Amino acid sequence: MSSQLPRGWIESRLCDVSTVVDPNPKHRNPKYVAEGFPFVSTAEFVEADGVTLETRRRVAEETVLEQESRCEFSSKSIFFSRKGTIGKTRLHPGGRLALLDSLCVINPSSALMAPFLLQALRTPRVAATIEAAVRGVALRQISVGEVRELNVPIAPLNEQRRIVAKLEALQARSRRARAALEAVPPLLEKLRQSILAAAFRGDLTKEWRAQHPDVEPASELLKRIRVERRRKWEDAELAKMAAKGKAPTDDRWKARYKEPEPVDATGLPELPEGWCWASLDELLAEELTNGRSVPTDDAGFPVLRLTAFRDGCVDLRQRKGGAWTEKDARPFLVRQGDFLVSRGNGSLEFVGRGGLVEGAPDAVAFPDTMIRVRCLNFVRPRFLALIWDSRLVRAQIEQKAKTTAGIYKVSQGDLESIALPIPPCDEQDRVCAMVERLRGVAHVKSSLASSIEQIVRLEAAMLAKAFRGELVPQDPNDEPAEAMLARLQGSNGDPAAARGEAARRAGRGKKGVKGGASRPAAREG
Amino acid sequence: MPSTQDIVQKLWNLCHVLRDDGVTYLQYVNELTYLLFLKMAKETGAEGQLPKGYRWGDLAKREGVELLEFYRLLLVHLGSEGSARAKDIFANAATSFRQPTNLHKVVKQIDELDWYSAKSEGLGDLYEGLLEKNAEETKSGAGQYFTPRPLIECMVALVKPQAGETVQDPAVGTGGFLINADRYVKQATDELFDLPEQQQIFQRKHAFYGMELVPDVQRLALMNAMLHDIEGDILLGDALGPSGAALPKADVILTNPPFGTKKGGGGASRVDITYSTSNKQLVFLQHVYRGLKPGGRAAVVVPDNVLFEEGVGQKVRADLMNKCDLHTVLRLPTGIFYAQGVKTNVLFFARGVKDKGTTKAVWFYDLRTNAPSFGKRTPLTRAYFADFERAFGADPLGKSKRTDEGETGRFRRFSREDIEKRGDNLDITWLKDDGATNHMDLPEPDLIVAEVVERLQSALEEMQAIHEELRGGV
């Protein structure tokens, strides 16, 4: 399983080139104080190799002193997480602190640059060894002894320096690239909203309007909408009476018509010429309809699931069988052009979201979790779907939504009173067409996600390349690692390695000590 | 006789008529440049620099198609015959007028100008106004050479150029910094009348000078300067080349070097610049701090990468902090420049007497986090810098008593040691972005797209750099 190490490198056990110390062998949580020293765990490991000292918990100086005397912290100390999240590493950030016992402290000898060891502990080979040594299911952990037994690659010291310099420079760049890419998706969402806002200001159709200056005034448009709405109601009433075999003898039935509430446009943004504010109620071809609640029955008549909402459209394949017959379901069938709105959701940002039934559906009904909206011809279904997602409309919905037991709900009355900006039909088509052209945004999003994945792979590849000795040139004049180790250990010149390990072996005698005072100094790689 | 105000107003209004005729603000500004130069030569008795038969009178007496044809001829002719200054103005000149009547309108208005009152009553402002309108419209091309005036005014007000000092702009663009510095001195000296005559001459002829790489832009800077009575040298040349090395050292340098790291161009590099790199802003920065007299002071607009780029970038920053007192860094909001989304900062520093350890601490002002989205609907104004200017203090060397506003404030002090611990990385922020945007506050779509492009480009640049470094490896 051992692969070729680069010339001049050697593999060694961690305990032979560093001391590994458990900061808290009693594994008892220390006393926490309100104002004290930082208490560091993996929760304080922040992006880009940092450790934040703004810790949630703080400890008294005596705890810090105890750990300091045991661990001999220095700027070369590495924190290694061996419980919970395993294998995370950081360099000591400076200042005085204490550690949670999920972390152990690695103090490299002079044979190793701390930043080099840090990178080495992240290579796939070492990570695999760590993973293989993990015990426990509920609380995964690896013992201090296992950490000591980890094999780490060691390059000549000069080469370590070159590798660290190059790796850190490359990693800084890839991190910045990743951060730049990760900043884009929120911008894309902002862009979508900005485009909608621009549509409402008439900016998207400015040129089109200049070319079509004879536009009907908004008041006229509203008048025509009202006339049409009334006419549709009257037709529907007559049809109902005909179905019962009746015919009206006078016009008194017409008085039953309820005029819709107009929109109070004060406080609403100004609209371009020819656009009018209308409430959803004013635009309805028929009343809003809730669905019917039916228990699931695979053999029954199909009904849409709530998961059918996707990207402002209705995915008609998301359905299940309901315990009802086709006759029962008939009033609740969906038609092309219907707009379905979600009545309730546990999260405010999703309540009242809608989807358009774009294609010609087969026979399927909508559920009680949705409200069906059918508008007059004055509103293109595509346009309604477009503006339904805008901040303008979302703000109104979220303001009206009421919450009970953690679920946000909107009622028919809530939806009817929503104010919508309505341009003349031709312009609606134009706005939809313009927004459609900007669909490329979806491609950007998906290629971004794969680019970010690529960068993560790149970082792993660069690390691997570094530890194959291929990232920076080798210098045959560098003292080979084996010779360096022998020199350092033989001359007893490394107090940290020699003294520390001997102390551990002699002292505690509890966990992870395998007995036997002397071990081979280094193994052939 | 119509007043100067009326004429200037008419010239201004004409720009709209011309726009409908397909003449852009930039083209109009260029036409005005040529015509005003001819008129100015006549009014100041300087027609000797123009060949006979190609002067204002020859133009103004013609009409109709003949006028337009003669104008075209004149532009070509003066590009090669005439004084050096005339050649600078008319190099590669061409007209965008297609209707003789439009040209005639403009010529007629200018003809009626009383030159001296026009200059003091707004001709300069008209010119600057057109340049600004052009920059608002076209975020590329000549628009990129225009630094927003509120920012320039802020920088000048803090650096406080004095009468008798030389002020340099090695990336002069359309001349905004020099004009503003000149205005600052004039306001403090009652239009120079407080000064003895020798000094007045110095101010007019020698105090303000600069260099510009692009001929079309140099022309605009020349005319802009002339209309504001500035006769200092505005040379055509590459500040990053030997011409730049030849520029005399200055008491004050104010500049906004062009952004972008386009490869190629740039001619011969300078031997006097220690750290050579393809990052032009890093080279410009070195030019600036080397171009200051001891005790001299500067304010330079630089993009973020100058603050964090490693390798050469770190060396340049360390060198700057050794030789100069980098006392203040202002982090500017995005969206104020032509290249929306580019993140920029202003570095304020003063040349020390020693070559080591001059900077002891750097004050950072964060005007970027949670800033409004600037653009057509929310224009940048001087008022936006008011808090910063107050915090900066009255001392142009940055030594006024200042207060660290702590983690929730915008103004904080970092010691040289703090910065050294970060690897001399000056990309320092501490405020949290509250990320709130309501639908009223959204920037225009094209601004957001530009910001996305900028992010993608910077990711791309980092990747390309990694590519280079990996290829150059084993």
Side-chain angles (χ1 to χ4, degrees), chain A residues 7-330:
Chain A
R7 195 174 33 82
W9 291 44
I10 199 165
E11 201 168 59
S12 175
R13 287 177 312 168
L14 196 53
C15 56
D16 291 330
V17 286
S18 66
T19 59
V20 182
V21 187
D22 188 336
N24 183 359
K26 294 207 187 86
H27 301 299
R28 267 212 300 258
N29 279 341
K31 203 169 55 159
Y32 299 130
V33 298
E35 290 205 16
F37 292 83
F39 189 63
V40 174
S41 67
T42 46
E44 278 74 33
F45 286 10
V46 292
E47 248 322 288
D49 270 339
V51 177
T52 172
L53 295 175
E54 319 280 316
T55 63
R56 278 171 304 141
R57 296 166 290 196
R58 301 185 86 79
V59 293
E61 191 171 10
E62 57 181 353
T63 314
V64 173
L65 280 170
E66 201 194 314
Q67 289 200 4
E68 279 172 346
S69 79
R70 183 174 300 119
C71 304
E72 291 173 321
F73 290 127
S74 76
S75 59
K76 282 186 73 168
S77 297
I78 291 177
F79 305 154
F80 180 96
S81 69
R82 61 178 191 85
K83 287 193 197 172
T85 350
I86 299 193
K88 292 252 171 281
T89 48
R90 288 289 189 277
L91 268 182
H92 195 302
R96 299 182 70 197
L97 47 79
L99 300 174
L100 184 63
D101 69 331
S102 60
L103 298 176
C104 60
V105 181
I106 303 174
N107 289 319
S109 72
S110 44
L112 275 175
M113 280 184 71
F116 179 83
L117 180 57
L118 199 70
Q119 301 275 11
L121 289 171
R122 294 172 180 173
T123 53
R125 266 195 77 195
V126 177
T129 325
I130 292 173
E131 194 52 40
V134 167
R135 266 161 259 294
V137 173
L139 179 65
R140 287 160 40 95
Q141 57 181 301
I142 165 178
S143 69
V144 177
E146 295 281 8
V147 177
R148 291 200 184 107
E149 290 298 312
L150 289 175
N151 279 318
V152 291
I154 304 176
L157 204 52
N158 285 337
E159 197 172 336
Q160 290 183 33
R161 278 188 203 105
R162 292 196 294 274
I163 289 177
V164 166
K166 187 100 177 192
L167 258 185
E168 287 183 349
L170 290 172
Q171 285 169 349
R173 285 199 187 279
S174 69
R175 251 180 241 129
R176 280 198 296 266
R178 195 139 55 107
L181 291 183
E182 284 168 353
V184 174
L187 283 175
L188 293 179
E189 177 53 30
K190 228 165 114 174
L191 175 63
R192 205 167 64 85
Q193 288 299 338
S194 178
I195 291 173
L196 286 176
F200 300 150
R201 283 193 305 270
D203 288 351
L204 290 190
T205 38
K206 205 162 33 170
E207 278 183 30
W208 183 89
R209 273 208 309 286
Q211 289 163 359
H212 300 80
D214 295 326
V215 70
E216 172 185 52
S219 50
E220 285 303 309
L221 176 59
L222 266 175
K223 248 191 240 166
R224 288 201 296 132
I225 292 176
R226 285 175 165 249
V227 165
E228 176 66 13
R229 187 180 187 279
R230 181 173 203 137
R231 192 188 64 79
K232 266 208 117 69
W233 179 87
E234 289 180 358
D235 284 351
E237 287 296 298
L238 285 173
K240 265 198 257 177
M241 289 191 258
K244 292 200 191 118
K246 293 209 205 119
T249 47
D250 57 31
D251 278 344
R252 268 187 309 161
W253 62 276
K254 290 191 183 173
R256 284 205 299 264
Y257 178 68
K258 265 191 346 177
E259 284 284 352
E261 282 285 335
V263 169
D264 178 6
T266 52
L268 289 175
E270 216 183 287
L271 291 176
E273 267 230 62
W275 293 47
C276 66
W277 284 106
S279 65
L280 183 61
D281 192 17
E282 290 184 274
L283 301 166
L284 291 176
E286 52 180 77
E287 280 184 357
L288 293 178
T289 314
N290 282 17
R292 165 110 70 85
S293 169
V294 285
T296 310
D297 177 357
D298 289 335
F301 191 81
V303 62
L304 292 172
R305 291 175 187 275
L306 200 51
T307 52
F309 283 130
R310 228 168 39 109
D311 288 336
C313 288
V314 171
D315 182 358
L316 295 165
R317 297 167 304 183
Q318 300 292 323
R319 57 176 74 185
K320 61 179 182 183
W324 56 353
T325 63
E326 188 265 335
K327 186 159 177 288
D328 294 330
R330 217 175 288 162

Side-chain angles (χ1 to χ4, degrees), chain A residues 469-519:
Chain A
E470 292 171 13
L471 190 67
V472 294
Q474 292 200 285
D475 185 349
N477 295 322
D478 287 337
E479 182 189 22
E482 185 170 9
M484 164 180 64
L485 283 181
R487 181 169 54 79
L488 290 172
Q489 274 160 357
S491 70
N492 226 4
D494 194 15
R499 185 188 71 206
E501 274 314 300
R504 258 129 225 67
R505 277 174 233 145
R508 316 297 171 195
K510 271 201 180 153
K511 293 192 179 150
V513 174
K514 290 204 164 93
S518 65
R519 299 171 184 274

Side-chain angles (χ1 to χ4, degrees), chain B residues 164-168 178 201-209 232:
Chain B
E165 289 185 318
T166 50
V167 180
Q168 181 195 127
L178 297 182
I201 296 176
F202 172 81
Q203 286 304 123
R204 254 196 284 277
K205 290 190 189 290
H206 302 293
F208 305 99
Y209 65 102

Side-chain angles (χ1 to χ4, degrees), chain B residues 330-365:
Chain B
L330 170 64
R331 315 226 54 188
L332 292 168
T334 51
I336 63 176
F337 284 103
Y338 79 96
Q340 311 295 339
V342 174
K343 300 198 193 151
T344 52
N345 316 266
V346 184
L347 303 182
F348 293 86
F349 51 91
R351 180 82 197 225
V353 289
K354 302 177 291 175
D355 267 359
K356 280 202 112 61
T358 309
T359 302
K360 301 277 187 268
V362 182
W363 287 82
F364 284 79
Y365 197 97

Side-chain angles (χ1 to χ4, degrees), chain A residues 317-396:
Chain A
R317 297 167 304 183
Q318 300 292 323
R319 57 176 74 185
K320 61 179 182 183
W324 56 353
T325 63
E326 188 265 335
K327 186 159 177 288
D328 294 330
R330 217 175 288 162
F332 305 101
L333 293 177
V334 297
R335 257 194 343 229
Q336 184 173 27
D338 281 350
F339 190 67
L340 302 174
V341 174
S342 151
R343 268 179 56 204
N345 196 289
S347 162
L348 185 61
E349 72 171 289
F350 291 117
V351 72
R353 294 262 178 195
L356 183 64
V357 178
E358 282 191 305
D362 59 333
V364 61
F366 67 97
D368 68 320
T369 47
M370 298 184 190
I371 299 176
R372 183 181 61 199
V373 180
R374 284 187 178 151
C375 286
L376 301 165
N377 285 339
F378 290 95
V379 182
R380 299 272 195 256
R382 272 246 159 88
F383 185 79
L384 179 66
L386 191 70
I387 59 178
W388 200 256
D389 250 351
S390 68
R391 294 261 175 94
L392 230 148
V393 173
R394 283 307 303 165
Q396 293 179 66

Side-chain angles (χ1 to χ4, degrees), chain A residues 166 169-170 172-174 176-177 180-181 183-184 187-188 190-191 193-195 198 201 203 269 391-392 448 455 458 462 470-473, chain B residues 308-310 373 377 407 437-440 442-446 448-449 451-452 455-456 458-459 461-463 465-466 469-470 472-474:
Chain A
K166 187 100 177 192
L170 290 172
R173 285 199 187 279
S174 69
R176 280 198 296 266
L181 291 183
V184 174
L187 283 175
L188 293 179
K190 228 165 114 174
L191 175 63
Q193 288 299 338
S194 178
I195 291 173
R201 283 193 305 270
D203 288 351
R391 294 261 175 94
L392 230 148
L448 264 182
I455 294 181
L458 168 70
M462 292 193 307
E470 292 171 13
L471 190 67
V472 294
Chain B
F308 65 65
E309 178 147 321
E310 283 148 23
S373 316
R377 288 180 295 127
E407 274 171 26
T437 27
N438 78 59
H439 68 269
M440 299 305 216
L442 283 174
E444 309 273 347
D446 58 330
I448 302 181
V449 171
E451 202 174 331
V452 171
R455 296 269 195 282
L456 295 177
S458 78
E461 275 167 20
E462 300 289 2
M463 284 294 117
I466 293 183
E469 294 199 40
L470 287 176
V474 176

